[in-house]
Amino acid sequence: MRKMGIAVAALATTGILLAGCSSNTPTTPAPSESSAAAIDASGVTLTVWTDANRKPAIEAAAKTFESETGGKIELVQKNFDDIRTDFTNQVPTGEGPDITIGAHDWLGGLVQAGVVSPLDLTDTASNFAPVSLDAFTYDGQLYALPYSLETIALIQNTDLVGEDAPATWDDMIAAGEKAGVDRPVVINTAGQTGDAYTMYGFQTSFGAPVFQSDDKGYTTEVGMGGDAGKAFAEWLGANGEKGDGYISTTVDYDTNNELFADGKAAYTVQGPWAIAALTEKGVKVKVNPIPSAGGETASPFVGVQGFYISSQSKNALVAQEFLTKYLATYEAQKALYEADPRIPAWNDLATEVSSDPVIAGFVASSKNGVPMPNIPEMGSVWDLWNAAQVQIIKGANPASTWDKMVSDLEALIG
């Protein structure tokens, strides 16, 4: 699966996702109306964990906070991959930061460990993409300030199939075959490992979500069983190696990108992290939402990053002030984008950077998307889910293989 934290350095080197940005060095945000009624934080020091990419942008907001409130921001640079473990281990001991950057799919584990506090965005919530707020909501409570999104989308070779978005899988296959290339579409299955993450948009178009949800967020009820799940499994088998052959376990991430870059495939499903590889040989691309295979909207996973407040912070009110009045501003969100160009969660900024058609395509895909489940049980899903898809693609009975996967998963979760 593709996880939050995948490097976007390739995007920056191609310049594709930086159109409309003046530079990669964030400027100091100007004081905004939202920070006009700042609290007196004299004598208070907030410790904020960040990684190297986002540190300069947070420094810019910190300077404004310090000048207006009298408080101090101490930024501690961490390796992003170490933050979740260090935060979970240190907060209960009274150590760790007041605020940390993090991914939304950590949330269930952080809540269960008792290391994060709810956040009240009050009148600023409407500035953020709804999917980003949903991602950081657990049991009906918002726990973090979002700032960026990642998702996958359909990417097509415009010299072969033009720019129009196919509405359905069948429309896409027909257009790809008409182009006369080796493969109408190429999709990464991580080889023999399976990649349910990439396939998820097609699965949701059959009405088979990995977990059910209610008005408080995801539940632990497996949602991909029953007739909808079987219909997806039958479709997967029909398009697999013993069927039409459009989906194959011979295609891993690098093979996928090479076939598309060489002009041997008209379409692929990938994320923004792959744009440089897909276009390195001059292929012109258009990014569109994933087409439906099962009749419903294809909803890929969306990953979100944002800022959590420690449950043990001795300065929780000041920490909330910093997030909601100094990072929840257009200026600060733009600085974060310029430091690390992911899809902005801030609506107006997402609209602005969508002047770049590649970004616009991923933004459009994210609007169809759903947050990757943030419940701890999600960690139990991948091995069984991926393995079942590989077996079906290779020719195993779709219905019985899928049913066994669902029942094994239900037994594992309990």
Side-chain angles (χ1 to χ4, degrees):
M1 71 175 178
R2 295 275 165 253
K3 297 182 180 178
M4 293 302 298
I6 293 176
V8 294
L11 301 176
T13 58
T14 64
I16 290 175
L17 293 192
L18 296 179
C21 295
S22 57
S23 70
N24 284 334
T25 303
T27 56
T28 302
S32 64
E33 292 180 5
S34 64
S35 63
I39 64 172
D40 181 3
S42 300
V44 173
T45 297
L46 294 178
T47 300
V48 180
W49 281 2
T50 181
D51 61 1
N53 286 345
R54 274 65 68 96
K55 185 178 180 181
I58 300 172
E59 284 175 342
K63 289 178 182 177
T64 305
F65 171 83
E66 291 175 347
S67 68
E68 293 188 0
T69 69
K72 298 293 183 183
I73 301 292
E74 178 186 8
L75 292 179
V76 177
Q77 183 175 313
K78 303 275 290 184
N79 183 327
F80 187 87
D81 292 338
D82 297 333
I83 288 177
R84 173 166 47 174
T85 298
D86 290 352
F87 187 79
T88 303
N89 290 339
Q90 292 186 32
V91 168
T93 70
E95 301 297 327
D98 297 282
I99 295 169
T100 186
I101 198 166
H104 90 271
D105 55 333
W106 304 355
L107 179 55
L110 297 181
V111 172
Q112 286 198 345
V115 295
V116 288
S117 291
L119 180 69
D120 183 5
L121 283 182
T122 60
D123 57 350
T124 64
S126 62
N127 291 309
F128 292 93
V131 69
S132 71
L133 299 176
D134 291 344
F136 279 120
T137 297
Y138 188 86
D139 199 20
Q141 294 262 30
L142 181 69
Y143 278 91
L145 177 81
Y147 96 87
S148 72
L149 312 176
E150 281 185 346
T151 194
I152 59 177
L154 183 72
I155 301 171
Q156 56 200 66
N157 182 324
T158 59
D159 286 337
L160 296 175
V161 292
E163 296 190 357
D164 291 344
T168 68
W169 170 271
D170 290 341
D171 291 342
M172 179 186 69
I173 295 299
E177 289 182 336
K178 184 178 179 181
V181 288
D182 291 354
R183 298 170 182 254
V185 62
V186 61
I187 297 178
N188 173 37
T189 64
Q192 300 292 321
T193 301
D195 190 354
Y197 177 97
T198 295
M199 297 302 302
Y200 192 61
F202 299 115
Q203 180 175 319
T204 54
S205 78
F206 285 86
V210 59
F211 286 107
Q212 299 288 5
S213 58
D214 58 24
D215 57 357
K216 291 185 177 181
Y218 283 104
T219 72
T220 58
E221 180 184 354
V222 177
M224 51 187 173
D227 291 343
K230 289 180 184 178
F232 168 70
E234 295 287 356
W235 172 86
L236 189 61
N239 287 279
E241 294 169 3
K242 297 296 179 66
D244 292 330
Y246 300 128
I247 302 172
S248 171
T249 59
T250 64
V251 178
D252 61 15
Y253 180 80
D254 290 333
T255 303
N256 179 99
N257 296 347
E258 289 169 6
L259 287 168
F260 187 89
D262 287 339
K264 295 179 179 179
Y267 298 92
T268 189
V269 176
Q270 269 290 12
W273 49 81
I275 289 292
L278 297 174
T279 60
E280 65 182 356
K281 298 182 181 179
V283 170
K284 297 176 183 177
V285 300
K286 177 70 165 49
V287 179
N288 283 313
I290 296 170
S292 175
E296 299 185 25
T297 299
S299 299
F301 280 134
V302 176
V304 185
Q305 288 196 2
F307 297 89
Y308 293 102
I309 296 178
S310 165
S311 63
Q312 299 302 310
S313 172
K314 296 179 175 63
N315 303 297
L317 292 178
V318 179
Q320 169 132 339
E321 180 83 358
F322 178 62
L323 291 186
T324 61
K325 299 293 177 64
Y326 293 88
L327 286 183
T329 68
Y330 168 84
E331 296 88 356
Q333 295 285 315
K334 185 172 184 179
L336 285 163
Y337 171 79
E338 291 179 346
D340 186 32
R342 303 167 190 260
I343 300 170
W346 190 267
N347 291 323
D348 288 349
L349 184 58
T351 299
E352 178 182 321
V353 301
S354 291
S355 60
D356 183 306
V358 172
I359 298 179
F362 285 110
V363 170
S365 184
S366 74
K367 290 180 179 179
N368 284 347
V370 292
M372 184 188 297
N374 55 23
I375 57 177
E377 289 79 6
M378 188 64 193
S380 302
V381 169
W382 296 106
D383 288 347
L384 291 169
W385 194 16
N386 285 333
Q389 292 198 9
V390 166
Q391 292 167 29
I392 292 168
I393 292 167
K394 291 176 71 66
N397 181 274
S400 61
T401 303
W402 196 259
D403 278 348
K404 185 176 187 307
M405 178 272 292
V406 171
S407 63
D408 287 350
L409 181 56
E410 290 173 335
L412 181 62
I413 292 174

